[in-house]
């Protein structure tokens, strides 16, 4: 329905463009010199015709449900006024289902049927009003804009101002996303802290969210520390793999590799960055896990197939290209004069790299590590599949662990009520994760940016 | 005189020996330094080769496991569509004066008659004809294990489509049961004792026999591409539903994130004044690009599902979440592309009287287009492989239909991989999962290849 309306408006806008175009041409043939080219007058008329109508449509789709529900609620029997907000929502959903002809479970009460009829009436009525308003707005806009066309009208400036405003609005979406993330998570986190105290959450050492919600007392223990520890352990293993390999790769590619090797190896290694993480998870589960546990058996250590080590190793592989390409950029940015100076003093190439290039590039490389670390902390699918999900505090990397991301997935993929602490805790965990990664990212960006300025 | 010469000689000799000593020291240390140089170099080469080897192992193991799953054990059976068993009236024909609804009702009644036919019996008979010896009715369980359970519906649908087949003998291609496939491919240890085998001894013997006589052949598995997921009939589970779900999501991502992302990049790069607000937006975008994807899933769960009450498991919600996630990537790529256009282009356009909007849209943007396209394709490819946020908005629900609109319940390719890897029928679904991964990787790599090709084709040096 809405799509058809939008299509109609677009067609009308095309017609309005033609109207503006012919009109402006008519004005021009009168001998007057127009301020802008004819096309701009057409666009201006089309915009005046279409935008107000589209705005009306947008506003109506946003507030339609609320307005209608408000009006319907006023007509409900008085004794229903005492319903709680939640019960009211359920009732409204029933009435809505009746009004749309889907029917409801059980027998509909007479007042429900009456309300549904009223709702259906209001919906039809509202739609008619909307159509009328849109038509009036479109025609009025078209006529007014067309009449304004004169040689003096600065059509181009007006159209361009509007375009700039639209562009600026688009860049607001990113800000809105951040605001949405923060607000939604803070809201639900506050809800969660009504059930569990923050101290218990942040300093608790036991993670055991029982899934039986009988009363508010026995809702399980929500201690963050085992999850945080698991996250750190897996990330640390990942970095232990990725940092040396990635850094050495970057050094070799930037300083030693002949062009042919570079042109092959660089894109091949960067493929690793483009592989979906679910694929890494599966790889860890069926190849790396069994392999590690086989090796463990050979040397007499008990390594579980799904463990911190498995997840960390595979995550490390995933991050290698991330570390290597960032470090590569930074190493190649070190000016040639520094290298030439060191080489001229008789240093070997590796000495130059270790004692001149790397120290000069150090801040940038540290920034790269931090970005890699934040990647590792936020990574989900590898740990969901390969870390074993065992939220217990222990220091053995050969055992299963659980991480923050795994727990978010587990808490929100069950058939849980959205307002129980068991699912609300996911948002508290998400906020924690967001804060940690945000911190790492901010430090990394500051460090990298500071470094970049040195040679510019 | 002599003294002094000897002195000088001594001094010379002394200097000589000291120089020799120094040279020796230098040579020794030089050897050490060169050795260290070589070691360092080898370490670098080792790191690079490790990376390459890891890529090779990853792809080899997935291919090695997944490629066989593209071929499935398939029965080629001559089924006699016995009119004694299929007792139905003629297919209804629309009569004059009948409304479409009435006709549809009669048609459905006819179809449900067909659904009551004992299709399994027909398949049993066809199998018995192929197998040696007398087969008692108590063995029909063993017999039926040979054929995927969904195949009787395929047979029914074939007859519904073409009722003239009743009374004829038709050659039907049927998927063998998942366990038969596992057995014939040797994906299960054949020496395992009877009670650890999924199939009875009788069925295994039959399967081997039929395979030898080429009644069962390994045929290319079209079911993998044409069927949606299935719970009742593992062998006919396919990727079609997940593929459509992913397709819908990608369409939404392309339709929303590319225009919004490119517009905001144009604003920030070409029009925005340098002030606090634009600085804030910039920092924001950089941060968003590094926010873990699962956080976007939480956002989707809270806003789109909790607050706006959009349907769970719908590609629309998934597409919106992935759009928000892809936006920063596209903005950053587009800004880089715009920045690489030299200012002289802008100055020239402004110099002949173009406005700033005209300069950007007529001159800068077309030149930056290849870069923008490359960045957008890479962003979309990344969104295609994303799993975690989709789990939080319920796209891991089991869906047995191919979605026909972005509001239907659906799943996506990476989520299908996640669902299959957790299937209990490990021996069968491990290969299936790898096959699905191959399909996903092929899609991603071709998107990446297109991006690289575009970059190469339009590469300009200013």
């Amino acid at each position: 329905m809405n799509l058809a309306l939008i299509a109609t408006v677009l067609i009308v806008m095309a017609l309005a463009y033609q109207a503006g175009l012919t009109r402006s041409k008519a004005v021009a043939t009168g001998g007057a010199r127009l301020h802008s080219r004819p096309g701009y007058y057409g666009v201006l008329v089309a915009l005046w015709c279409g935008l107000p109508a589209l705005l009306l449509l947008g506003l109506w789709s946003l507030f339609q449900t609320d307005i209608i529900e408000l009006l319907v609620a006023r007509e409900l029997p008085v004794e229903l006024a005492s319903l709680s907000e939640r019960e009211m929502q359920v009732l409204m959903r029933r009435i809505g289902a009746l009004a749309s002809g889907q029917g409801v479970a059980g027998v509909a009460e007479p007042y429900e049927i009456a309300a549904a009829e009223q709702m259906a009436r209001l919906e039809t009525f509202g739609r008619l009003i909307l159509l009328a308003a849109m038509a009036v707005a479109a025609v009025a806009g078209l006529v007014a804009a067309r009449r304004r066309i004169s040689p003096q009208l600065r059509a181009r400036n007006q159209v361009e101002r509007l375009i700039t405003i639209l562009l600026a609005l688009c860049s607001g979406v990113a800000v809105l996303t951040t605001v949405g993330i923060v607000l939604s998570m803070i809201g639900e986190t506050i809800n969660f802290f009504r059930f569990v105290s923050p101290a218990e959450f942040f300093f608790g050492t036991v993670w055991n969210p029982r899934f039986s919600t009988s009363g508010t007392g026995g809702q399980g223990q929500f201690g963050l520390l085992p999850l945080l520890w698991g996250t750190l352990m897996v990330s640390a293993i990942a970095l232990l793999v990725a940092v040396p390999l990635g850094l050495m790769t970057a050094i070799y590619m930037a300083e030693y590799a002949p062009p042919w090797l570079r042109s092959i190896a660089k894109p091949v290694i960067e493929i690793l960055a483009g592989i979906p993480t679910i694929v890494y998870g599966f790889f860890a589960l069926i190849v790396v896990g069994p392999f590690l546990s086989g090796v463990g058996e050979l040397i007499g250590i008990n390594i579980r197939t799904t463990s911190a080590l498995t997840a960390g190793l595979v995550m490390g592989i995933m991050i290698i290209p991330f570390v290597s390409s960032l470090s590569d950029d930074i190493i190649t940015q070190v000016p040639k004069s520094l290298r030439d100076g060191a080489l001229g003093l008789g240093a070997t190439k590796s000495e130059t790299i270790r004692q001149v290039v790397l120290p000069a590039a150090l801040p940038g490389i540290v920034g790269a590590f931090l970005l890699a670390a934040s990647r590792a902390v936020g990574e989900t699918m590898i740990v969901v599949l390969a870390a074993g999900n065992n939220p217990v505090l222990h220091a053995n990397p050969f055992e299963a662990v659980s991480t923050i991301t795994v727990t978010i997935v587990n808490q929100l993929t069950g058939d849980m009520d959205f307002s129980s602490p068991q699912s609300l805790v996911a948002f508290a965990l998400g906020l924690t994760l967001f804060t940690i990664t945000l911190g790492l990212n901010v430090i990394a960006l500051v460090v990298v940016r500071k470094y970049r300025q040195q040679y510019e | 005189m002599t003294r002094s010469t000897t002195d000088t000689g001594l001094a010379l000799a002394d200097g000589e020996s000291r120089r020799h000593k120094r040279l020796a020291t230098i040579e020794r240390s030089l050897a050490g330094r060169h050795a260290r140089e070589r070691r360092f170099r080898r370490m670098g080469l080792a790191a690079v080769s490790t990376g390459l080897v890891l890529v090779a192992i990853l792809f080899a193991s997935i291919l090695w496991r997944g490629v066989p799953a593209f071929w499935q054990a398939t029965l080629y059976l001559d089924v006699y569509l016995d009119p004694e068993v299929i007792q139905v009236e003629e297919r209804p024909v629309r009569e004059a004066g009948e409304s479409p609804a009435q006709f549809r009702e009669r048609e459905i009644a006819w179809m449900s008659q067909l659904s009551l036919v004992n299709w399994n019996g027909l398949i049993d008979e066809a199998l018995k004809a192929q197998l040696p010896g007398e087969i008692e009715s108590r063995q029909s369980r063993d017999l039926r294990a040979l054929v995927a359970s969904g195949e009787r519906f395929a047979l029914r649908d074939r007859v519904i489509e073409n009722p003239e087949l009743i009374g004829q003998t038709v050659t039907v291609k049927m998927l063998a049961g998942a366990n038969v496939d596992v057995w014939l491919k040797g994906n299960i240890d054949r020496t395992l004792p009877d009670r650890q085998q999924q199939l009875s001894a009788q069925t295994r013997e039959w399967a081997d026999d039929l395979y030898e006589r080429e009644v069962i052949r390994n045929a290319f598995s079209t079911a993998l591409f044409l069927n949606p997921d299935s719970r009742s009939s593992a062998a006919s589970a396919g990727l079609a539903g997940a593929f459509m779900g992913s397709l819908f999501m990608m369409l939404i991502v392309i339709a929303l994130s590319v225009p919004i992302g490119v517009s905001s990049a144009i604003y920030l790069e070409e029009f925005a004044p340098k002030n606090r607000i634009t600085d804030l937006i910039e920092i924001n975008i950089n941060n968003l690009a590094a926010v873990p994807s699962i956080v976007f899933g939480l956002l989707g769960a809270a806003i789109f599902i909790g607050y706006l009450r959009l349907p769970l498991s719908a590609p629309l919600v998934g597409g919106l979440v992935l759009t928000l996630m892809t936006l920063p990537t596209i903005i950053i790529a587009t800004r880089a592309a715009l920045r690489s256009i030299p200012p002289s282009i802008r100055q020239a356009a402004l110099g002949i009287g173009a406005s700033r909007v005209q300069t950007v849209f007529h001159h800068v943007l077309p030149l930056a287009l290849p870069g923008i396209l490359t960045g957008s394709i890479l962003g979309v490819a990344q969104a295609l492989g994303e799993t975690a946020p989709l789990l939080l908005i319920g796209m891991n629900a089991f869906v047995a239909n191919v979605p026909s609109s972005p509001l239907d319940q659906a799943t996506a390719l990476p989520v299908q991989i996640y669902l299959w890897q957790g299937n209990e029928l490990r021996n069968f679904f491990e290969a299936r999962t790898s096959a699905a991964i191959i399909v996903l990787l092929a899609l991603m790599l071709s998107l990446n290849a297109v991006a690289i090709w575009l970059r190469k084709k339009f590469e300009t040096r200013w």
Side-chain angles (χ1 to χ4, degrees):
Chain A
M1 182 66 190
N2 277 355
L3 274 182
L5 262 181
I6 291 173
T8 320
V9 173
L10 288 181
I11 292 170
V12 173
M13 278 175 80
L15 294 177
Y17 173 80
Q18 282 303 323
L21 199 67
T22 39
R23 169 87 185 139
S24 67
K25 278 183 180 155
V27 171
T29 41
R33 203 162 165 276
L34 290 173
H35 170 269
S36 313
R37 303 196 48 205
Y40 283 101
Y41 293 95
V43 173
L44 192 67
V45 175
L47 289 175
W48 271 101
C49 169
L51 282 191
L54 286 179
L55 194 68
L56 279 174
L57 180 63
L59 284 177
W60 178 246
S61 348
L62 268 184
F63 296 111
Q64 175 193 25
T65 339
D66 290 339
I67 296 175
I68 288 182
E69 284 191 359
L70 202 74
L71 289 175
V72 170
R74 282 215 316 221
E75 299 290 316
L76 283 176
V78 200
E79 61 268 23
L80 290 174
S82 58
L83 286 181
S84 74
E85 200 178 321
R86 208 177 172 70
E87 289 166 322
M88 200 69 199
Q89 270 176 18
V90 174
L91 178 64
M92 276 301 163
R93 215 170 291 169
R94 273 176 74 87
I95 295 176
L98 278 174
S100 63
Q102 284 171 351
V104 289
V107 185
E109 303 279 336
Y111 70 84
E112 282 181 339
I113 295 174
E117 275 168 9
Q118 195 202 357
M119 186 181 266
R121 247 193 335 271
L122 281 173
E123 261 164 22
T124 328
F125 184 61
R127 208 143 253 297
L128 282 177
I129 291 192
L130 173 69
L131 279 177
M134 280 174 72
V136 169
V139 171
L142 174 69
V143 171
R146 191 169 171 279
R147 277 175 73 183
R148 278 178 59 211
I149 293 178
S150 70
Q152 287 80 37
L153 180 68
R154 295 167 174 260
R156 185 173 93 170
N157 302 31
Q158 291 189 8
V159 170
E160 290 187 346
R161 186 165 325 130
L162 199 86
I163 290 177
T164 324
I165 291 172
L166 282 180
L167 293 178
L169 284 181
C170 282
S171 59
V173 173
V175 180
L176 275 184
T177 310
T178 312
V179 172
I181 287 176
V182 172
L183 281 188
S184 63
M185 287 205 298
I186 285 184
E188 305 289 5
T189 305
I190 291 173
N191 275 341
F192 169 70
F193 283 141
R194 278 197 208 131
F195 295 98
V196 179
S197 79
E200 208 178 299
F201 175 67
F202 285 113
F203 303 108
T205 54
V206 179
W207 176 263
N208 181 21
R210 261 171 277 147
F211 271 82
S212 57
T213 41
S214 48
T216 43
Q219 60 206 0
Q221 285 165 288
F222 297 92
L224 174 70
L225 290 182
L227 307 179
L228 197 61
W229 173 248
T231 306
L232 291 182
M233 188 143 83
V234 175
S235 308
I237 296 171
L239 288 178
L240 280 180
V241 174
V243 165
L245 273 177
L247 188 57
M248 281 315 287
T249 303
I251 291 172
Y252 191 81
M253 295 285 202
E255 304 281 338
Y256 289 112
W260 65 268
L261 181 63
R262 198 180 147 91
S263 68
I264 295 172
K266 212 173 143 101
V268 171
I269 289 180
E270 269 166 13
I271 285 179
L272 286 175
I275 291 175
T277 57
I278 178 87
V279 177
Y280 282 109
F282 186 68
F283 179 66
L285 198 63
I286 64 161
V287 179
V288 180
F291 172 74
L292 286 179
S293 112
V295 170
E297 230 164 73
L298 273 183
I299 53 173
I301 310 173
N302 185 20
I303 303 180
R304 290 193 36 157
T305 330
T306 56
S307 64
L309 184 66
T310 312
L313 271 182
V314 175
M315 201 191 282
I317 298 176
M318 182 194 85
I319 313 177
I320 289 175
F322 200 66
V323 176
S324 74
S325 61
L326 274 174
S327 310
D328 192 6
D329 285 351
I330 289 155
I331 288 172
T332 38
Q333 265 179 24
V334 173
K336 201 163 180 297
S337 58
L338 287 183
R339 284 190 191 86
D340 291 346
L343 290 172
L345 286 172
T348 63
K349 214 165 178 184
S350 67
E351 282 164 351
T352 313
I353 294 167
R354 268 182 302 196
Q355 289 166 11
V356 178
V357 179
L358 283 189
L362 195 64
I365 291 173
V366 170
F369 294 170
L370 288 175
L371 283 178
S374 110
R375 262 265 160 115
V377 169
E379 172 43 46
T380 312
M381 290 324 289
I382 296 177
V383 277
V384 164
L385 292 188
N389 188 24
N390 176 27
V392 174
L393 271 176
H394 60 69
N396 184 356
F398 306 135
E399 275 290 317
V401 292
S402 187
T403 67
I404 296 180
T405 47
V406 170
T407 315
I408 294 177
V409 170
N410 287 343
Q411 298 306 111
L412 273 191
T413 47
D415 290 326
M416 283 300 298
D417 181 10
F418 216 58
S419 58
S420 71
Q422 276 79 4
S423 39
L424 285 177
V425 70
F427 291 93
L429 290 171
L431 194 61
T432 316
L433 179 69
F434 182 72
T435 319
I436 295 174
T437 51
L438 187 71
L440 285 171
N441 292 333
V442 169
I443 299 172
L445 285 178
V446 168
V447 169
V448 170
R449 195 177 271 188
K450 204 165 210 175
Y451 167 74
R452 286 234 165 104
Q453 282 166 351
Q454 281 181 5
Y455 299 116
E456 265 168 14
Chain B
M1 181 74 188
T2 15
R3 244 189 87 196
S4 65
T5 40
T6 38
D7 266 3
T8 357
L10 268 179
L12 269 176
D14 199 28
E16 192 87 335
S17 76
R18 246 187 289 156
R19 227 179 69 205
H20 273 297
K21 238 186 247 163
R22 218 182 303 145
L23 270 178
T25 327
I26 288 174
E27 251 162 45
R28 239 182 297 121
S29 85
L30 209 57
R33 285 169 63 197
H34 282 286
R36 240 175 293 155
E37 166 76 28
R38 276 195 300 276
R39 256 196 323 260
F40 189 74
R41 216 181 150 135
R42 259 185 238 130
M43 268 162 64
L45 192 60
V48 174
S49 352
T50 314
L52 296 179
V53 166
L54 285 174
V55 177
I57 292 178
L58 185 78
F59 276 85
S61 68
I62 300 277
L63 283 176
W64 178 62
R65 267 159 223 266
V67 168
F70 287 114
W71 283 269
Q72 250 184 296
T74 311
L75 290 139
Y76 289 80
L77 273 184
D78 290 328
V79 180
Y80 175 50
L81 296 169
D82 194 347
E84 296 285 308
V85 182
I86 313 175
Q87 291 186 342
V88 287
E89 306 144 20
E90 291 276 295
R91 188 190 180 104
V93 187
R94 187 164 169 189
E95 285 157 19
E98 195 181 29
S99 77
Q102 281 169 334
F103 171 65
R104 181 85 198 135
E105 210 163 277
R106 286 204 302 139
E107 213 178 16
I108 287 173
W110 177 76
M111 280 182 194
S112 58
Q113 262 185 346
L114 268 175
S115 296
L116 294 174
V117 169
N118 182 11
W119 299 105
N120 270 334
L122 290 175
I123 298 175
D124 286 356
E125 287 305 317
L127 280 171
K128 278 180 194 164
Q130 293 290 341
L131 290 167
E134 201 52 33
I135 292 162
E136 295 161 40
S137 56
R138 66 181 166 83
Q139 286 175 302
S140 67
R141 248 181 84 107
D142 291 343
L143 199 60
R144 224 160 269 166
L146 284 170
V147 185
S149 64
E151 288 302 334
R152 59 193 146 133
F153 302 121
L155 191 61
R156 179 196 68 194
D157 292 344
R158 197 165 154 181
V159 173
I160 286 179
E161 211 158 277
N162 193 1
E164 279 101 77
L165 289 177
I166 299 173
Q168 297 179 18
T169 303
V170 286
T171 310
V172 188
K173 241 173 92 173
M174 288 183 201
L175 288 172
N179 284 314
V180 175
D181 184 67
V182 170
W183 170 257
L184 289 175
K185 279 185 186 149
N187 284 344
I188 189 166
D189 188 353
R190 288 194 161 215
T191 56
L192 280 177
D194 220 28
R195 74 195 148 73
Q196 285 182 32
Q197 292 283 1
Q198 296 292 327
L199 294 170
S200 68
Q202 181 67 73
T203 315
R204 282 177 280 159
E205 196 187 301
W206 281 336
D208 282 338
D209 182 44
L210 290 175
Y211 190 67
E212 222 157 82
R213 288 193 287 119
E214 295 204 335
V215 178
I216 298 182
R217 271 174 268 171
N218 252 341
F220 188 75
S221 165
T222 45
L224 179 64
F225 297 97
L226 300 180
N227 290 5
D229 198 6
S230 164
R231 209 173 250 166
S232 56
S233 170
S236 48
L239 284 171
F243 184 82
M244 281 311 283
S246 275
L247 188 71
F248 278 130
M249 288 200 299
M250 289 311 109
L251 289 180
I252 292 172
V253 170
I254 292 170
L256 290 177
S257 69
V258 173
I260 297 180
V262 172
S263 307
S264 48
I266 291 175
Y267 178 73
L268 291 174
E269 199 58 38
E270 304 282 344
F271 295 106
K274 276 271 156 228
N275 59 25
R276 277 264 176 83
I277 297 173
T278 48
D279 231 32
L280 195 85
I281 296 177
E282 216 182 314
I283 295 171
N284 221 307
I285 289 167
N286 281 332
N287 269 329
L288 267 189
V291 166
S293 63
I294 194 163
V295 171
F296 285 95
L298 283 171
L299 170 81
I303 304 244
F304 297 131
I305 291 184
Y307 183 69
L308 292 180
R309 303 246 179 84
L310 291 175
L312 266 173
S313 324
L316 175 70
V317 183
L320 288 176
V321 169
L322 294 180
T323 298
L324 294 182
M325 218 188 77
T326 319
L327 261 183
T329 319
I330 293 184
I331 297 179
I332 291 171
T334 306
R335 290 191 71 175
L338 289 174
R339 214 173 300 145
S340 71
I341 308 298
S344 55
I345 303 274
R346 295 182 185 84
Q347 285 153 8
L350 290 172
I352 55 168
S355 71
R356 279 176 76 190
V357 174
Q358 284 174 323
T359 308
V360 171
F361 281 91
H362 297 176
H363 302 272
V364 179
L365 206 55
L367 288 171
L369 207 57
I372 295 173
L373 272 180
T374 316
S376 305
I377 293 172
L378 291 180
V380 170
Q382 198 188 347
L384 176 68
E386 201 53 66
T387 322
L390 302 183
L391 297 185
L392 299 194
I393 57 162
M395 291 197 77
N396 55 339
F398 173 80
V399 181
N401 297 320
V402 178
S404 55
S405 87
L407 283 168
D408 291 345
Q409 282 216 327
T411 174
L413 281 175
V415 183
Q416 187 70 65
I417 293 168
Y418 175 69
L419 290 173
W420 278 356
Q421 65 78 31
N423 196 296
E424 304 102 49
L425 202 55
R426 279 225 82 86
N427 283 324
F428 184 71
F429 272 98
E430 210 165 87
R432 256 285 123 130
T433 314
S434 302
I437 287 178
I438 294 174
V439 173
L440 179 67
L441 284 181
L443 278 177
M444 310 244 348
L445 289 182
S446 34
L447 279 176
N448 278 299
V450 170
I452 291 171
W453 177 76
L454 271 176
R455 199 181 318 178
K456 278 260 148 59
K457 177 154 193 235
F458 292 104
E459 207 165 42
T460 5
R461 296 222 171 265
W462 299 101

